[in-house]
Every structure is written in structure tokens, then in C-alpha cells.
Amino acid sequence: MSIVIYTVPLFALLILIELGVDRYKGTHYYRLNDAFGSLALGIMSRTTRLVTFSLGAFVFDYILPEKRLFEWDSSSVWTWVFTFVAYDFCYYWYHRMSHTLNMFWAGHLIHHSSEEYNLTTALRQTSTGIWSWIFYIPLLMTGVPMEVFLICGGLNLIYQFWVHTRHIKRMPDWFEATLVTPSNHRVHHAQNATYIDKNHGGVFILWDRLFGSFQDELEEEDVIFGVRRPLHSFNPITANFQFWRSLIADAWRTESWWDKCRIWFMPTGWRPSDVEAKYPIQKSDLSKFKKYDPETDSKTQLYGLAQIVLNVVLTMYFLFHFAGLNFTLIVLGFVMITLPLLTTSLMLDGGNARWELYRIILSWIGFAFAWPIMAQSSVVIFGGYLAVSSVLYTYLWWVKSGETDLAATE
């Protein structure tokens, strides 16, 4: 299991601290609906990996030769130092290519689709980014031990968490010149023309300085977060497949067979000329930029908050107990965790709450059928979750029905 899982409680604590600072200072860097969208994507990215085939694992286990270029001693500090630095170098090129080619950007843009920038944004991860393993093959070919490689990869990801904040303005100059900081990573998440597609390092900003992709954060130009084709949804399924759907549609619509083939490998945002003419896509006008923030009542937002908190607890239990489960139970757990993220996001998008009711009913039916093959602890956890969800939804329906009746009498 990835060491990142063990840091989730620390991540949660730091998010709560940042939220407290945000409320104390009145900076309003947090919106509940946006934070829900980020956390929902983070949860889906973790659980999806349990039920999908890992092409990278197949390559690492069966295609890479057993005899590597060198024999590394995993007890040597130099093995760890080399692997940590080399991993970040490989990450830099993977990350840079993710901003360069359509096929890679389709999986990566999920991380950039939030129009806010706070610690929940760090957890906004993709479930469809399937190409990253390609960039680490050269490192593994050198023979670094797999356990060292995986731990260094986890440490790289953990480091990137803290730089997703607006409350730390600048670090000391030597730090800014060497390592990725909140300031230069804010640049990376910008959609401003000055900042876009810059600062790709994970831990070391040195790679950007060496290869010409560095941009400092400027006092005279505030960062506008998000992507040029705005998502306009908090739904994790929509977020994961928005750009893939666009690429598939463009490949289908174009009359040129050459364009059908090359669209996947063209620079980010490239579209066939005939499709661009017939089906133009409106991009953000940054001079009139307005964040996506559909109006929802406070009770629906509180329901969304309760659901994401419950879902985090459920997900942590699932991740720590999925080992040894048969495929049926893994899929059932994935569905029970994922469905409330979808139906609650519809509510936060201003949609009808009836889908949440259908979800609860369907979940109870699935739970009843799976009960005989579930462990006792799983019955308690999942059953308790469904019971609490049912009570919360009933209360929400009762309160909103009362408000509707009161409005009708006025």
C-alpha cells in the first residue's frame, strides 16, 4: 500500500488548520462546493485503482528485464538520494508532457480544473491518467529497487501537498531558487497567458530553470486559477471525462483520417480545422472571468459537507481492508463509495435531490444482498454509513419541504 495513504490524517488536519486560518483572515480561499469537488476526485482516484488493471504494473513486472544496468543496495543512502532526485527528474518530464500533448493533458487537466487554490486542490487527482509509468521506465532500467522507487514516489507526492496554498507568500530566496514552493506552484496552476504551462517540477524547481520552463510569480499580475475550457461542474465523472469526450468527439467529427489519428498526439488544445469551424469551443475571457459557483441553499451545502466527511472515513476503512477481498466485494465497495459523490455533486451543481434518494435506496438493496459475504466489521461500517446517510437525507427533505410549505402560504 502506498505510504501516501498513511498521511491522509495529517492532510486532513492541515486542511482544517488552513480552513481555520482562511476564516480568521476572511480571505475566502475556500468554497464548500469546490472543496467537495476536489476531495471527491481525490477519493475516486484512490478507489479506482483498486478495480482497474494497472498497465504500469504489468510493464514493471513482466516486460522490464530482471537484469538491470546496475545492482543497487537498498540500505545505502546514495541509492535513496539518487532515486529521489532521479524520480523527480522523470516526474518533471511526465508533468511537462502532460501540459504539451492532448493525450496526456486529457488525464492531467483534472488537477487544474479547480478555480480555487487551497490544500484540497492538492488532492484533486485523476482517475484516467494512465500514461505516467512510461516516463519512469528509464529509472527502473538502471536497477533501483522497486521498494525504494515506490517510497520515493510517495515522498515526492507528499511533498507536493503543502505547496497548494495561498497563505504562504514567499519562501527565502535560496528555497525559491531550488525547490518547488507555494509561490512558483501557484504559477503552475494559473491560466493567465504569462503563467500558463510553467513550473512543472514536483520537488525541485531546478529542472524548470535548466530547461526554460520557469516563471516567477509577479506582484503586478494576480494568478487566475483554473483551465481555459472551464469545467462548470463538481461531478467527478464529468471532470474525469470532459476532455476525453471532447477529443473523441473531434476525432469522430473531422473528415480527415489523418486528423483522426494525430489529434491525440498534437499540442494541447489543437483541434482539426474543419471541426473548429463547425463546432467552436468558447474559452474563458479572463478579462471578465467569473468563478463557477451555482447558488445552493446552506442546508444542501451542509449535507454535502457531511457526505464528504463520511465518505473520507468510509474510503479510509475500505483502503485499509480491501486486501484479500474478492473482486465482487471490491466492486461493491467502490460503487457504494462513488455513488454518493456523484449524486451529492449533482445537488451542489443545483440539480434535483431525488437522485440522492435513488442512490440511498439502491445502496440499501446492494447492501442487503452482500450482507452474507461481508465481514462483520464491514457490515457495521457500511451499514452505519447508510443509516446515517438516510437520516441526514430525511432531515434535509423534511426541512426543505417545510420551507416550501411556508413559502407557499406567504
Side-chain angles (χ1 to χ4, degrees), residues 244-317:
W244 284 111
R245 184 176 59 194
S246 177
L247 285 178
I248 293 170
D250 285 355
W252 177 264
R253 289 166 174 168
T254 183
E255 296 180 3
S256 167
W257 282 98
W258 172 232
D259 286 347
K260 289 178 186 291
C261 295
R262 67 171 176 158
I263 185 174
W264 314 97
F265 308 99
M266 293 299 287
T268 305
W270 180 91
R271 304 179 71 207
S273 56
D274 57 339
V275 175
E276 183 72 56
K278 292 181 180 178
Y279 306 96
I281 293 177
Q282 186 68 37
K283 295 185 179 182
S284 295
D285 181 352
L286 298 188
S287 65
K288 302 176 182 178
F289 180 75
K290 185 178 180 181
K291 296 176 182 177
Y292 175 68
D293 191 16
E295 185 176 347
T296 52
D297 60 85
S298 60
K299 297 174 183 61
T300 298
Q301 294 205 26
L302 286 174
Y303 183 82
L305 175 62
Q307 278 296 333
I308 201 67
V309 170
L310 290 170
N311 206 284
V312 168
V313 174
L314 196 63
T315 301
M316 290 299 296
Y317 173 83

Side-chain angles (χ1 to χ4, degrees), residues 61 82 90 109 169 175 185 192 194 235 264 331:
D61 290 342
F82 169 80
C90 296
L109 71 82
K169 300 305 179 184
F175 203 105
H185 200 64
N192 313 50
T194 302
N235 188 313
W264 314 97
V331 171

Side-chain angles (χ1 to χ4, degrees), residues 207-245:
W207 315 126
D208 292 283
R209 294 181 181 275
L210 284 172
F211 298 109
S213 56
F214 176 76
Q215 171 62 53
D216 205 359
E217 186 177 23
L218 306 175
E219 290 185 9
E220 62 271 21
E221 184 163 3
D222 292 335
V223 173
I224 301 176
F225 300 103
V227 290
R228 296 302 304 276
R229 296 190 202 176
L231 177 60
H232 286 172
S233 176
F234 303 116
N235 188 313
I237 295 294
T238 302
N240 270 293
F241 292 100
Q242 180 194 33
F243 196 73
W244 284 111
R245 184 176 59 194

Side-chain angles (χ1 to χ4, degrees), residues 321-342:
H321 291 84
F322 81 93
L325 294 179
N326 61 45
F327 187 71
T328 300
L329 285 176
I330 290 177
V331 171
L332 178 65
F334 171 75
V335 170
M336 290 188 69
I337 289 171
T338 303
L339 278 181
L341 300 177
L342 305 182

Side-chain angles (χ1 to χ4, degrees), residues 145-195:
M146 181 61 73
E147 65 273 16
V148 177
F149 171 82
L150 293 175
I151 291 174
C152 287
L155 292 174
N156 186 285
L157 193 60
I158 291 169
Y159 178 90
Q160 293 182 49
F161 177 79
W162 79 279
V163 301
H164 292 82
T165 183
R166 298 173 68 182
H167 288 287
I168 299 175
K169 300 305 179 184
R170 298 280 296 187
M171 303 296 289
D173 289 346
W174 68 268
F175 203 105
E176 293 283 348
T178 308
L179 299 168
V180 174
T181 66
S183 176
N184 54 48
H185 200 64
R186 286 193 290 270
V187 167
H188 179 70
H189 275 258
Q191 54 177 310
N192 313 50
T194 302
Y195 297 140

